[in-house]
Amino acid sequence: MDPSRDFRLYLSRRLRAEVAAGDHAFLGQVTRVLERHGYRVLPSANDRAAKAAAPDLPGWAMFHMEHPTHDRALVFRKAYHGPFWAIERQAQRWRWPVAQARFPLHRIDPETAARFYARWQRRLFGQAPQAARRDGFVYIPLQGRLLEHRNFQDCAPIEMLERVLEGEPKRPLLATLHPKERYSEAERAALDSLTQRFPRLQLTTRPMADLLAHCDYVVTENSSAAFFGFFFGKPAITFARIDFHHICLGADGFDRIADHAPAFDRYIWWFWQRQSINAGRPDAERQIADRLRRCGVPLDDPATDTGPDPTPQ
């Protein structure tokens, strides 16, 4: 086979095992689409040596949640929860087309969106969203690198806490650390100093769903917890760029957040059904082929794609 028709998937050992066993539905769909269009799909290790060699290999490549290493490479990741996926040219979500798109609120059927939203509220969180209330505190899910101001952020996370203390002068602030991050002694010391100076700020280990069910609103750099807060009807303030920014307020939004009530149901429907690949739909492989073409992958005649035309669900 022409090596230019190779398509390498750079995957962790776990994902490679799932693909080999036929247990990864989305990557199975991706593989079928590519093979139908004449590609040879090659699951590959994603270690440092493999990634360093990738630019010199012929064909195309796709990385899982990592920066593509050359101009014939893409990235894929869940759009916050399966079966919703993204395939893009770059890893920075705030640069994806969805982040640049306009949320067409008034073009979305409210009944369709309400049914979809309610179904996913139940699937993700059971009856907790229906029992959600506002108990008078702010939930602040922290991420990593607390002392660094990265270029997509308004400020360093530790400074964000200081700005929240200033912008929200009354409510208690409950912050959580990211369970997969390793925090330095300097970061821990900075947090300890803030909590000692401002008793309203507390670190907690309460689960995300419990905090979302009871907070008044969420403040974060760009944590996915804010996205999941939409399922509880909780508005968010973000201090960084992200792909789900459309219904969030910015860092200057403290005086408006209490009354901020966007159409959470229509937004979730638009984000997942129109801006993501829904691998659970009959036309998923058509969606995948369309997304690969948009990202520049040469595919044959669209007539070879399968699945019915997309319909609202």
Side-chain angles (χ1 to χ4, degrees), residues 81-131:
H81 199 279
F84 307 99
W85 293 85
I87 296 175
E88 300 292 348
R89 293 289 314 218
Q90 55 190 337
Q92 298 95 333
R93 287 176 289 171
W94 55 92
R95 293 180 176 170
W96 287 359
V98 60
Q100 314 306 319
R102 184 183 64 85
F103 169 42
L105 171 64
H106 299 295
R107 295 172 57 188
I108 297 169
D109 177 62
E111 293 184 2
T112 298
R115 289 194 299 269
F116 180 83
Y117 180 71
R119 183 163 68 250
W120 278 98
Q121 283 181 310
R122 292 191 298 271
R123 288 184 65 172
L124 293 176
F125 300 108
Q127 296 303 311
Q130 281 65 47

Side-chain angles (χ1 to χ4, degrees), residues 250-289:
D252 60 352
F254 287 98
D255 60 341
R256 294 174 284 142
I257 190 68
D259 299 319
H260 186 53
F264 296 108
D265 52 356
R266 281 185 270 183
Y267 185 76
I268 291 293
W269 185 90
W270 174 75
F271 193 94
W272 271 352
Q273 292 286 65
R274 284 291 176 265
Q275 300 300 312
S276 307
I277 297 167
N278 183 345
R281 287 178 60 170
D283 67 322
E285 292 183 17
R286 183 188 296 272
Q287 294 180 48
I288 291 167

Side-chain angles (χ1 to χ4, degrees), residues 188 190-203:
R188 294 279 187 174
L191 284 172
D192 288 344
S193 174
L194 269 183
T195 56
Q196 289 172 12
R197 288 164 49 208
F198 302 98
R200 276 195 305 121
L201 173 62
Q202 305 168 35
L203 288 177

